[in-house]
């Protein structure tokens, strides 16, 4: 508990006063605002800091960065979708892409429209996506809010995506693919089916919603047969309302754009920068170069240069291209297609750093000391010419002594200095010790006909880490420069884990006899020690996943509260303006702050606008992640649909009252074992040990256990797999004879225990 200062007890606010102030404040509230409101000064600020920590531990307030608010409440500004009207005609909205695991159940926002809108005031309606300033409807109510529309962002498409089921007499029925859809089924009348055939994935609009019978829908677009995996990504695109077609005005602007000239730029065309990307990359927006520093005061140091495509030269603030890019927020990547943020004329031509072709860039030159720390840096607006285009594997093979015809000629002059600089930079990275999670990422390779060829986990190379570390250095340099110039910007922030998630992690670790330290500052180093403890053990994979789940979600913010995962005080995305709108904002801010041209961030850009943009692009990022994840799940379900009855090795990745979640070793696919099918016993869920335990036999299945499962059902549209458990669990005590337990399944054959599976030890820098 926070103890009051003996010298100023009478002047300090009570706990109740502080909570009341946090609850009633509509703007940003942090320690500074509370101290100013109650005139808390000097050493009493330590008392206030401890009080806020106590209130957070007790669950009375929540903290995000340096901001606190009443536990469970929405932040003052929220991006929301307007869903419907209530009986009184008031608009009802819900937060867009709300993360229930992160922030709790979805609250309801009641939007009270003005009786008489003032000129220029945005007038919202059902289907709009808008930025709202919100306040609780009444004190203490965290589920109902009054919202004021500050900006309308986009009109949601009034359509339903579903599977068309043809009827003999014509027309058909539509089964929505969205499990959250209000409509379980819709009727398509004869003549309204368009070109849809039985089993097709179609987009429809609701044309009639009567009081009785099924609502009527009209097919607007045939998206393809679900027999081809090419239709799978379209499900995610449409259900998440991801803009996939560029407006005519944006395309026209892109086609009219002309190549940038050398005017106003430094000539860097002789600097041998190279691009290193995935082998299937279509656009190349970053290039790197390194050379030993010849300065006598920096012996053993390097000069590292990172050049980034100058998108701001072509996408001007307020243009059609800019408005569309802001709505998209980022490019979205699926196994069979990319939904880009910018048209190909920009992303794949004018701004792609193609080898041996002049391209405009914004570059940062960083002086690295022999200890790996950045000593200083400078930004330059340049015209560059890439010396070579390499894939990660090409670059790595060359360093490992297997150069090809592209990498061979530049091995000694370009690649070896890059690796030497990286070895130096690693020293500072290892001291900083960012969070290191060893989680393999699945990659799906499709055949020409769109069906799944194979699923594999690509190898992580030093070439990947080299590019990542240089990009991190450039991003930090961008944030530092803008802060020094006192310029507003959009940060990339990552809050530290909440106390609730830390408690949950502690319980999981206790189930495998590991203890989470309860003292000392919360830093990535703490989690890294845990990860090193389980490295090479049977628990390695699932502990990495549990630690990942314990982390907060990174986002964009005009307020800086640091990046916990990278263990950095300031960080801004600068290195991918082709595919992320946040980076384009940072580029424009640098151009304006450093007087590098007239196409920087407009002088009248306010902090409030950046707050709105941050909320919008953070939601767009969450939308993209959900769409990409769902598409992977659906593709894997398609891939396994013809393997019903097959047996797989897996690991228990989650335990709930409803059953066990299983992650397959072969593909990384996730599936479910319902509790009622586990075994010949009645199994109870133990929340503390994250396990299922048989009442009669004591047989136990717990998080992280290796198991064998049989695939019994695959639902490609839902992306769901259902398994039957074959392995025996652990026994904490001997079975109690043959007495049948409640919920047992008589006559079920005994299951053969899964063989032990060795985990290969993966070395990580």
């Amino acid at each position: 508990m926070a103890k009051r200062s003996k010298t100023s007890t009478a002047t300090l606010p009570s706990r109740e006063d502080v909570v009341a102030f946090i609850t009633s404040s509509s703007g940003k509230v942090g320690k500074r605002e509370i101290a100013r409101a109650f005139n808390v000064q000097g050493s009493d600020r330590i008392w206030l800091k401890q009080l806020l920590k106590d209130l957070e531990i007790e669950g009375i307030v929540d903290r995000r960065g340096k901001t606190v608010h009443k536990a469970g409440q929405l932040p003052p500004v929220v991006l929301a979708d307007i869903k419907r009207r209530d009986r009184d005609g008031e608009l009802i909205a819900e937060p867009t892409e709300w993360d229930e695991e992160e922030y709790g159940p979805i609250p309801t926002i009641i939007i009270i429209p003005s009786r008489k809108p003032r000129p220029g005031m945005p007038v919202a309606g059902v289907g709009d996506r808008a930025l709202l300033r919100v306040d609780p409807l009444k004190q203490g109510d965290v589920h109902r809010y009054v919202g004021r529309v500050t900006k309308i962002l986009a009109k949601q498409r009034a359509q339903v995506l579903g599977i068309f089921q043809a009827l003999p007499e014509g027309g058909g029925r539509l089964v929505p693919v969205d499990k959250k859809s209000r409509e379980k089924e819709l009727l398509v009348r004869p003549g309204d089916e368009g070109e849809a055939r039985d089993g097709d994935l179609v987009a429809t609009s609701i044309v009639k919603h009567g009081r009785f019978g099924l609502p009527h829908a009209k097919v607007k677009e045939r998206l393809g047969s679900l027999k081809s995996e090419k239709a799978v990504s379209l499900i995610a695109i449409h259900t998440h309302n991801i803009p996939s077609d560029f407006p005519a005005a944006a395309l026209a602007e892109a086609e009219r754009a002309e190549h940038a000239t050398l005017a106003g730029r430094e000539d860097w065309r002789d600097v041998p920068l190279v691009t290193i990307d995935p082998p299937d990359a279509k656009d190349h927006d970053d290039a790197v170069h390194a050379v030993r520093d010849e300065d006598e005061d920096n012996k053993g140091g390097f000069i590292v240069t990172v050049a980034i495509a100058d998108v701001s030269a072509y996408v001007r603030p307020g243009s059609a291209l800019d408005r569309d890019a802001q709505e998209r927020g980022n490019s979205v990547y699926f196994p069979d297609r990319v939904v880009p943020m910018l048209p190909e004329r920009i992303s794949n031509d004018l701004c792609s750093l193609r080898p041996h072709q002049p391209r405009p860039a914004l570059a940062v030159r960083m002086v690295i000391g022999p200890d790996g720390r950045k000593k200083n840096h400078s930004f330059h607006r340049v015209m560059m010419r890439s010396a070579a285009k390499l894939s990660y594997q090409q670059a790595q093979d060359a360093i490992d002594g297997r150069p090809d015809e592209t990498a061979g000629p530049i091995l000694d002059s370009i690649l070896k200095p890059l690796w030497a600089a990286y070895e130096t930079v690693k020293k500072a990275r290892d001291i900083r010790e960012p969070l290191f999670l060893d989680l393999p990422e699945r990659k799906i390779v499709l055949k020409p006909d769109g069906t799944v060829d194979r699923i594999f986990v690509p190898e992580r190379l030093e070439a990947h880490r080299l590019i990542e570390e240089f990009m991190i250095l450039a991003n930090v340099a961008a944030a530092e420069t803008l802060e020094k110039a006192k310029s507003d910007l959009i940060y990339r922030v990552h809050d530290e884990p909440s106390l609730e998630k830390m408690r949950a992690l502690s319980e999981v670790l206790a189930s495998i006899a590991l203890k989470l330290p309860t003292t000392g500052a919360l830093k990535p180093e703490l989690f890294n020690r845990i990860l090193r403890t389980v490295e090479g053990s049977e628990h390695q994979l699932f502990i990495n996943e549990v630690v990942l789940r314990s982390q907060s979600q990174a986002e964009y913010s005009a307020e800086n509260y640091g990046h916990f995962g990278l263990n950095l005080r300031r960080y801004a995305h600068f290195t991918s303006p082709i595919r992320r709108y946040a980076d384009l904002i940072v580029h424009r801010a640098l151009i304006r702050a450093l007087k590098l041209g007239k196409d920087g961030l407009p002088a009248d850009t306010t902090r409030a606008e950046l707050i709105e943009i941050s909320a919008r692009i953070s939601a767009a990022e969450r939308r993209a992640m959900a769409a990409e994840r769902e598409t992977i799940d659906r593709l894997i379900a398609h891939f396994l649909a013809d393997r019903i009855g097959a047996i797989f090795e897996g690991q228990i990745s989650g335990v709930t009252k409803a059953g066990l979640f299983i992650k397959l070793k072969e593909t990384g696919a996730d599936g479910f074992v319902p509790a009622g099918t586990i075994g010949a016993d009645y199994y109870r869920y133990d929340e503390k040990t994250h396990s299922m335990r048989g009442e009669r036999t004591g047989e136990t299945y717990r998080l992280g256990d290796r198991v064998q499962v049989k695939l019994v059902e695959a639902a490609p549209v839902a992306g769901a797999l259902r398994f039957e458990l074959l392995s025996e669990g652990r026994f904490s005590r001997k079975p109690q004879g043959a007495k049948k337990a409640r919920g047992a399944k008589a006559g079920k054959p005994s299951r053969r225990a899964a063989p032990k599976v060795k985990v290969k030890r993966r070395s990580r820098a």
Side-chain angles (χ1 to χ4, degrees), residues 34-191:
I34 298 170
R36 187 182 298 122
F38 294 103
N39 196 28
V40 179
Q41 301 178 359
S43 61
D44 288 333
R45 286 177 175 261
I46 300 174
W47 167 84
L48 178 59
K49 181 179 180 180
Q50 185 60 47
L51 172 64
L52 293 176
K53 186 174 182 180
D54 290 345
L55 292 174
E56 185 187 2
I57 291 172
E58 294 168 26
I60 297 173
V61 301
D62 283 338
R63 179 188 59 79
R64 297 186 72 190
K66 297 179 180 179
T67 304
V68 294
H69 53 84
K70 188 74 181 295
Q73 281 188 348
L74 289 174
V77 178
V78 65
L79 186 67
D81 292 325
I82 301 173
K83 299 289 189 180
R84 57 187 172 85
R85 291 185 184 271
D86 64 9
R87 293 179 180 177
D88 299 323
E90 294 171 353
L91 293 167
I92 308 298
E94 292 180 356
T96 302
E97 301 292 342
W98 185 259
D99 188 339
E100 292 191 42
E101 185 178 340
E102 179 82 16
Y103 306 123
I106 297 178
T108 300
I109 306 169
I110 301 178
I111 304 172
I112 312 289
S114 302
R115 294 179 182 175
K116 187 177 181 181
R118 297 191 302 273
M121 176 185 292
V123 179
V126 174
D128 281 341
R129 177 165 291 176
L131 280 161
L132 311 175
R133 289 197 175 276
V134 298
D135 293 296
L137 189 61
K138 60 182 181 180
Q139 192 160 339
D141 191 337
V142 297
H143 299 291
R144 295 168 65 84
Y145 291 79
V146 175
R148 177 170 61 86
V149 176
T150 61
K151 191 172 187 179
I152 297 174
L153 301 177
K155 175 77 72 173
Q156 286 190 309
R157 287 176 284 186
Q159 68 175 10
V160 176
L161 198 70
I163 308 302
F164 178 72
Q165 298 176 344
L167 296 175
E169 62 273 17
R173 293 178 180 248
L174 186 83
V175 180
V177 297
D178 186 1
K179 290 180 257 185
K180 298 179 181 178
S181 173
R182 291 174 57 197
E183 317 299 345
K184 299 303 179 187
E185 199 172 84
L186 296 96
L187 180 64
V188 179
R189 292 179 294 194

